[in-house]
Amino acid sequence: NISSRIKVFHYGRRVLNKFKLKFLEKFIHLPYKVVISSMYSNNIFKISSLKSLNYVTLFDIYELTKPYNKDLYTTVSSSQNFSILHGTGLTGIQTNLDYKLKEVSQKANTANSTAYLFSNNEIPFYEEYYSLTSEQIKVYGIPKHEKQWVEDLASRKTIRKDGRYIFIISRPTNEYITTERRIEFLEMIKKIAIKYQLEVVVKLHPKELKSKLYKQVFDSDEDGIEWGLSIEHPFTLGMHCEFAISYYSGVPLDLLSLGVPTIELSNFIGIDHDDHEHSLRNCRGEAVREYRYLNLVLGASTYDEFEKHVIEILNDKEKVIKELRSNYRKIFPVTKNINNIIADEIKNTII
């Protein structure tokens, strides 16, 4: 895992793999294993010891063919496996999937897997990419959106309730979600925060902990805003915010269960990875990703669009939530006692 990485080995292997120099990568991998085995000898579990036992695995098959999980491949594929997507999302709807994923996934041994999908919309993807049969697929909705689960998690820790704030669900910039466009969005957020007298709370992605973009924009002049970073769970941060902002994330689906609307600030126009002949598009023909396409978030690419949604929320938040939840229910079934149902099915398989 991340805490056990030794950078000189980890990034050295990634560079060699990127340039398809696998014969050299082996010379790094072997000493890497020796060093890690020595440093973490008390924490290493020998997966091979499972071979003589009866066992089942709980493992997301979307991750089964990833290079960093190759040591688990035989273990997972050799016994009964139960798969649930490791985050919140909608798999297979997006049109920017790597074509290599299909080629690799179709070679995976999923004969012993049962997949609990979030939506019927995902079925064609799992049938085509992972060769799952209808008997291997079950669709009950999103387990962690069960009311009891949400209420319990959200109530475990609370933050201050005084002060009105915007909750930003952040993510790293890259060649698709560019730094230039992120700065534009941050300037828009700052302008809204000042105009409507809102504070800002940011939940950084682990990969952007060293980013200075927020400080660069939010503290850039005399018109600064009240803002801060938080390590709290999104449910906790979402409980009392006026609304959330994402740049493309599955977290807004979680926040809907709390009655929190999210505005997705995104602009993929001219980004080849997203803007192509097969792209999902909004009513104006602009390339968008799945959450905006399915109206599970309020989409905005410009300041005028952004402010329009902010005004809608501040004027009648309940109406906005009602519409978003209606769109949610068209895509995701809501099953009472979903977690107990899944747990009982797995338990009955084991016994």
Side-chain angles (χ1 to χ4, degrees):
N1 58 37
I2 294 176
S3 65
S4 63
R5 284 179 181 171
I6 300 177
K7 291 183 179 180
V8 65
F9 290 115
H10 176 73
Y11 291 107
R13 291 177 63 198
R14 289 185 63 175
V15 169
L16 292 175
N17 276 323
K18 182 176 181 179
F19 290 101
K20 298 181 179 180
L21 299 173
K22 290 189 175 181
F23 65 98
L24 291 176
E25 187 267 344
K26 292 180 181 178
F27 290 103
I28 294 180
H29 182 62
L30 290 175
Y32 186 24
K33 288 184 68 174
V34 171
V35 173
I36 290 295
S37 297
S38 176
M39 290 176 61
Y40 298 93
S41 58
N42 294 329
N43 305 98
I44 294 177
F45 174 75
K46 293 184 179 180
I47 297 175
S48 58
S49 65
L50 290 173
K51 291 181 179 179
S52 59
L53 303 173
N54 291 322
Y55 67 91
V56 299
T57 54
L58 306 176
F59 193 89
D60 179 4
I61 60 172
Y62 190 81
E63 295 289 306
L64 186 59
T65 54
K66 299 292 178 67
Y68 47 76
N69 285 324
K70 62 183 180 181
D71 291 341
L72 295 171
Y73 179 83
T74 301
T75 302
V76 174
S77 61
S78 298
S79 187
Q80 182 69 41
N81 176 58
F82 298 93
S83 171
I84 299 179
L85 188 68
H86 62 285
T88 304
L90 197 61
T91 307
I93 308 301
Q94 60 271 45
T95 60
N96 53 17
L97 291 170
D98 187 341
Y99 73 93
K100 293 181 181 178
L101 173 65
K102 183 175 181 179
E103 181 182 346
V104 173
S105 299
Q106 288 180 331
K107 296 178 181 178
N109 177 7
T110 58
N112 296 318
S113 285
T114 297
Y116 289 97
L117 307 187
F118 296 159
S119 168
N120 286 312
N121 296 39
E122 299 178 295
I123 292 176
F125 171 81
Y126 280 89
E127 288 179 334
E128 183 177 1
Y129 276 62
Y130 294 97
S131 304
L132 297 184
T133 65
S134 58
E135 289 76 21
Q136 291 176 276
I137 295 174
K138 297 177 183 291
V139 183
Y140 295 134
I142 304 178
K144 65 177 176 177
H145 290 176
E146 184 175 24
K147 185 178 179 180
Q148 183 180 347
W149 172 272
V150 172
E151 291 178 348
D152 178 63
L153 188 58
S155 66
R156 290 186 184 183
K157 213 168 187 180
T158 58
I159 60 175
R160 55 179 174 73
K161 297 182 182 181
D162 59 322
R164 299 159 64 236
Y165 65 93
I166 302 168
F167 167 33
I168 298 180
I169 307 155
S170 196
R171 69 177 300 132
T173 57
N174 53 32
E175 63 268 40
Y176 317 125
I177 301 175
T178 67
T179 299
E180 292 75 19
R181 295 184 184 186
R182 173 65 55 80
I183 291 174
E184 290 178 13
F185 291 147
L186 293 180
E187 294 285 5
M188 288 161 47
I189 293 170
K190 181 177 180 179
K191 187 175 179 180
I192 287 291
I194 293 172
K195 184 172 182 178
Y196 294 94
Q197 298 182 326
L198 297 167
E199 298 179 18
V200 176
V201 177
V202 184
K203 170 77 171 180
L204 292 176
H205 187 281
K207 291 183 179 179
E208 58 175 346
L209 294 179
K210 296 181 180 179
S211 173
K212 302 297 182 183
L213 279 183
Y214 288 94
K215 183 174 179 58
Q216 173 186 325
V217 176
F218 291 166
D219 294 339
S220 61
D221 50 43
E222 292 181 0
D223 294 325
I225 60 173
E226 289 292 328
W227 73 282
L229 305 176
S230 177
I231 60 172
E232 301 289 352
H233 192 281
F235 279 20
T236 301
L237 295 173
M239 282 290 288
H240 307 294
C241 72
E242 294 296 319
F243 58 88
I245 291 174
S246 72
Y247 308 116
Y248 170 71
S249 169
V251 174
L253 300 183
D254 298 333
L255 297 183
L256 272 181
S257 61
L258 294 174
V260 177
T262 300
I263 301 172
E264 182 184 301
L265 295 179
S266 59
N267 180 0
F268 297 107
I269 297 174
I271 305 294
D272 292 343
H273 180 262
D274 290 88
D275 194 354
H276 48 77
E277 62 179 325
H278 302 296
S279 297
L280 301 174
R281 298 189 179 275
N282 63 14
C283 61
R284 294 188 301 279
E286 299 168 344
V288 294
R289 291 188 178 179
E290 63 270 26
Y291 305 120
R292 283 185 65 171
Y293 178 74
L294 295 169
N295 296 312
L296 296 167
V297 293
L298 303 171
S301 304
T302 66
Y303 177 82
D304 288 341
E305 287 180 305
F306 182 31
E307 185 174 37
K308 175 177 176 289
H309 290 315
V310 170
I311 292 171
E312 290 172 345
I313 293 168
L314 296 180
N315 285 345
D316 195 343
K317 189 173 182 178
E318 288 303 315
K319 180 182 178 182
V320 173
I321 281 295
K322 184 177 180 181
E323 292 176 357
L324 290 174
R325 281 178 166 170
S326 175
N327 296 333
Y328 175 99
R329 287 191 292 270
K330 292 175 184 176
I331 300 163
F332 303 101
V334 178
T335 305
K336 188 176 181 180
N337 297 321
I338 180 174
N339 287 292
N340 287 338
I341 290 172
I342 294 174
D344 286 342
E345 289 186 356
I346 293 174
K347 182 175 65 176
N348 291 337
T349 302
I350 298 173
I351 297 175

